[in-house]
Structure formats: C-alpha cells, structure tokens
Amino acid sequence: QVVHAHKPHFMALHCQEFGGKNYEASMSHVDKFVKELLSSDAMKDYNRARVYLDENYKSQEHFTALGSFYFLHESLKNIYQFDFKAKKYKKVTGKEIYSDTLESTPMLEKEKFPQDYFPECKWSRKGFIRTRWCITDCAFDLVNIHLFHDASNLIAWETSPSVYSGIRHKALGYVLDRIIDQRFEKVSYFVFGDFNFRLDAKAVVETLCAKATMQTIRAADTNEVVKLIFRESDNDRKVMLQLEKKLFDYFNQDVFRDNNGTALLEFDRELSVFKDRLYELDISFPPSYPYSEDSNQGRQYMNTRCPAWCDRILMSHSAKELILKSENDEKIVIYDHIGPNVCMGDHKPVFLSFRIAAGAGKPIANVHKCCVVQ
C-alpha cells in the first residue's frame, strides 16, 4: 500500500533478522518469499532489482541476518551501482538475487561487528551492509545497519546514559568511520535499519514514577536484584511499573501512543552524540518497538521493554542537501511508520519518501568518476 501510494522510482528496503528469530528452521522459506515479492503484481513496474540476503547462518563469524532489497522502476533511466573491487560504476540491468556468502560479492561491503563489542552475547548477528548508487550524476551510499540491543532492563536502568547506549555509540562510530575512510571517494550517505536506540531508562522511569515509592525484590540465593516495583504513594498503593530483566510493565500504555509519544522524545538522546555527523528529520510517529506479535493486537506494545524509536532513517549532512525542498504546500518529504494498526512483528517499519533535486549531487560527487561505467 505504501509503494502504491508513493510510487517511488528507486526503492530501498532494509531488513534485519532475516529468516526470523528461529532462522535455522525458517530460512528455508526466504527464497520463496523473495521470488514471490519480485514477481508480485504490486512490483510489476519495477523491472530491475538487486537483492542481498545474508542467509549463511552456519558461518557464525560472518552471519548478520541482514537483507537489502533495491527496486528500480521501469521509468528510471541510467542508474548505476558501484563495484567496490573494480572501483567503478556498472549499469544496473535485470533482476539479481545474491544470498549465502555475500563476502565474495564486489557490489557491497558487509561486516559483522567484532565480538568484543558485545561480549555478553556469544553469537551476536549485529553488523552492516553498504551499497553505493549513482542516479543522474548523484552518488550516495545506502547502509543497512543493526546495532546492539539492551540485554537487561535492570542494567539499563542503573546508569544514565546506560552501558548499552555506549556500546551502540561505539558500533555506529565504527560504521561511520568505515564508510568515509580513504579507500573510496566520499559521497553522501543514508544509514537506516534497527539502531536499537532506547530512551534514557533511568530518566524515563524517574519521570513516569515521580511520585511513586520503589520496592526492591532480590533473589534469595544470590541477593541479586531481580525486580523493582513502583507504587503510588497513595491511591491504595497502586502498582505503576514493574521492572525485571525482560519486563517493563507500565500501567498506562497511552503515554507511549498519545500524540505519537512526543512527550517522551526528550529522553531519546542517543543520536545527540552524532549531531555533527548525522541528520534526521523530525519524528512524528510513535515508538517503533516493541509491538505485540499477536496478530489481533496491531497497536499494542509488549510489556517486555520500554517503547522506543529503535528504527530510524539517518543521513549525512550532505545527503540532507540532496532532498528536494518543497517549494509549495505539497508534502514531498515524508518520514513515517508503516502499518500503525497492523501486526508486523515486534518492530514497526519506518520509511522516508523524498525526491532528489535535479543535479543535487554535482557539488558533492565527482561527476566524471561517477559516470565511469562498464
């Protein structure tokens, strides 16, 4: 429906955790899904496509479970993709699917984050895939990213900012340094996927439970804190919030939905570290995670984590200049979420729709290099 409404000429779709949580059992369904998508009636006007699927889960040292899809509308002429090995652009024709071992594909860069970034998770699948494109002399990178999650609500609550936000900061900095290093010409870039950005848990809890008293529950054998209960001081000591490692049960979910959760945006602080390197349009949609996976509960959040804007579309400051500014009242640039009332898994996808201004890339990209094609 979103594709039908916006009719994009170039569409990039970034997926994380391809094959699902039980990828060993479910990965076998992926190929059929992809082929049906490529041949579907909804996509019939997209006569060129590139699909990159990291399905090789038996290679734990490389497996990221990332999937990057790129669809080109039949009306779009002269689009080129960069070959990182040959260091030149190649004209995109036909439909091609690459899966299993993406390491040997010269049309992308893929990397899994070093294991010591997140040592408590033995086989983390977090990493990134980068592709580079050229449309009408405008070159840009598209980076599919998946950053580290919060392993425990209790640990996230202990410090502000939490230890997990520090881990994400390190990994995102690694990606940004990588895509602007000296190996290739610098171009504008868009980084989008599951950043796992969370609200500042300590500040959120202290705000939501400002007038509550806290009860601490400890394990009998280890004395470790296993649960925090926040009760109203009066009103029959009503429970406002229960917090465990994987439980965030707040009594009033409307606070996360009303006015798209705008009241909580002040606690969304992880991107502030990168304000000199990354730009984001204003958020006007509710937290994208964690939604219920019950197919009848499309709007409901799960009581596992504090709702947060995990899924984002970020860009370099030069990429911001590529986006055509509206010269009239027509809303050309749209940053929103997909399927507000439809169950789409625990993450609600977000999308950015815009037009690239004619000739916008010329001051940034080296036009002559951009047009070297094979």
Side-chain angles (χ1 to χ4, degrees), residues 12-111:
L13 170 66
H14 285 176
C15 306
Q16 298 79 41
E17 296 295 5
F18 219 80
K21 292 183 175 77
N22 303 312
Y23 50 83
E24 281 123 328
S26 302
M27 199 65 84
S28 59
H29 302 296
V30 168
D31 289 349
K32 184 183 179 207
F33 164 74
V34 171
K35 282 169 182 152
E36 286 191 5
L37 176 64
L38 289 173
S39 61
S40 66
D41 190 56
M43 305 304 294
K44 69 178 184 299
D45 294 332
Y46 294 84
N47 61 350
R48 290 150 293 167
R50 291 294 181 271
V51 180
Y52 303 103
L53 305 173
D54 190 1
E55 297 182 284
N56 189 20
Y57 59 83
K58 290 178 180 172
S59 174
Q60 292 285 14
E61 65 199 274
H62 297 296
F63 181 52
T64 62
L66 292 172
S68 296
F69 296 70
Y70 304 99
F71 303 96
L72 285 63
H73 195 271
E74 60 191 9
S75 64
L76 187 63
K77 310 299 181 198
N78 297 330
I79 180 163
Y80 305 95
Q81 189 183 359
F82 191 65
D83 182 320
F84 288 97
K85 194 171 180 181
K87 294 192 177 182
K88 63 170 73 172
Y89 287 85
K90 296 182 177 177
K91 191 166 186 175
V92 180
T93 58
K95 297 179 181 180
E96 297 176 4
I97 302 171
Y98 298 86
S99 61
D100 238 18
T101 51
L102 297 184
E103 282 72 32
S104 58
T105 304
M107 307 309 287
L108 59 80
E109 285 198 322
K110 178 176 88 80
E111 207 169 324

Side-chain angles (χ1 to χ4, degrees), residues 286 291 297-300 336-344 348-349:
Y291 279 91
Q297 301 283 339
R299 285 172 47 83
Q300 189 79 12
D336 204 353
H337 66 322
I338 291 175
N341 301 312
V342 181
C343 175
M344 304 184 79
K348 203 72 86 175

Side-chain angles (χ1 to χ4, degrees), residues 48-328:
R48 290 150 293 167
R50 291 294 181 271
V51 180
Y52 303 103
L53 305 173
D54 190 1
E55 297 182 284
N56 189 20
Y57 59 83
K58 290 178 180 172
S59 174
Q60 292 285 14
E61 65 199 274
H62 297 296
F63 181 52
T64 62
L66 292 172
S68 296
F69 296 70
Y70 304 99
F71 303 96
L72 285 63
H73 195 271
E74 60 191 9
S75 64
L76 187 63
K77 310 299 181 198
N78 297 330
I79 180 163
Y80 305 95
Q81 189 183 359
F82 191 65
D83 182 320
F84 288 97
K85 194 171 180 181
K87 294 192 177 182
K88 63 170 73 172
Y89 287 85
K90 296 182 177 177
K91 191 166 186 175
V92 180
T93 58
K95 297 179 181 180
E96 297 176 4
I97 302 171
Y98 298 86
S99 61
D100 238 18
T101 51
L102 297 184
E103 282 72 32
S104 58
T105 304
M107 307 309 287
L108 59 80
E109 285 198 322
K110 178 176 88 80
E111 207 169 324
K112 184 171 162 172
F113 295 123
Q115 195 175 333
D116 61 0
Y117 274 34
F118 201 54
E120 65 185 88
C121 190
K122 186 183 177 187
W123 289 119
S124 171
R125 295 178 291 282
K126 309 302 192 285
F128 71 94
I129 288 178
R130 167 204 200 181
T131 55
R132 176 170 290 190
W133 303 83
C134 181
I135 305 176
T136 60
D137 293 339
C138 179
F140 52 86
D141 280 349
L142 299 179
V143 183
N144 183 350
I145 194 167
H146 194 185
L147 297 183
F148 302 101
H149 57 281
D150 280 15
S152 166
N153 291 324
L154 294 169
I155 292 173
W157 178 83
E158 286 171 358
T159 56
S160 175
S162 82
V163 61
Y164 301 117
S165 69
I167 295 166
R168 288 187 283 272
H169 174 194
K170 183 178 177 183
L172 180 53
Y174 177 87
V175 174
L176 297 183
D177 290 343
R178 177 82 174 162
I179 61 178
I180 62 164
D181 64 17
Q182 301 302 312
R183 294 168 303 136
F184 308 104
E185 179 189 9
K186 287 187 176 67
V187 299
S188 301
Y189 55 83
F190 296 84
V191 186
F192 51 111
D194 178 8
F195 291 83
N196 262 314
F197 289 158
R198 306 301 169 97
L199 303 185
D200 187 321
K202 194 165 187 63
V204 168
V205 171
E206 287 172 351
T207 302
L208 293 178
C209 304
K211 297 179 179 176
T213 56
M214 185 180 81
Q215 177 187 359
T216 304
I217 313 292
R218 296 179 181 272
D221 50 348
T222 63
N223 206 36
E224 179 186 4
V225 175
V226 292
K227 188 171 190 173
L228 300 174
I229 302 174
F230 296 83
R231 300 176 188 272
E232 289 189 4
S233 302
D234 43 26
N235 196 23
D236 296 328
R237 309 265 301 146
K238 178 183 172 183
V239 173
M240 299 180 71
L241 173 68
Q242 295 185 75
L243 202 66
E244 296 178 20
K245 181 180 179 180
K246 293 188 176 180
L247 178 74
F248 188 97
D249 189 1
Y250 187 63
F251 79 104
N252 179 21
Q253 275 204 4
D254 288 343
V255 71
F256 305 112
R257 285 191 289 257
D258 288 350
N259 195 25
N260 291 322
T262 305
L264 297 170
L265 269 172
E266 66 173 295
F267 305 113
D268 177 70
R269 298 169 178 165
E270 293 196 34
L271 192 55
S272 61
V273 179
F274 294 95
K275 65 179 182 296
D276 294 336
R277 306 179 74 178
L278 290 168
Y279 172 79
E280 181 179 28
L281 289 157
D282 291 338
I283 291 175
S284 58
F285 48 87
S288 64
Y289 171 87
Y291 279 91
S292 168
E293 293 176 308
D294 180 339
S295 60
N296 298 313
Q297 301 283 339
R299 285 172 47 83
Q300 189 79 12
Y301 287 107
M302 277 194 286
N303 293 328
T304 51
R305 308 285 185 193
C306 176
W309 288 273
C310 291
D311 306 273
R312 315 281 276 261
I313 298 175
L314 312 178
M315 65 196 82
S316 63
H317 288 281
S318 60
K320 177 177 69 168
E321 302 307 315
L322 298 180
I323 296 176
L324 183 67
K325 301 295 189 293
S326 178
E327 294 178 0
N328 51 36

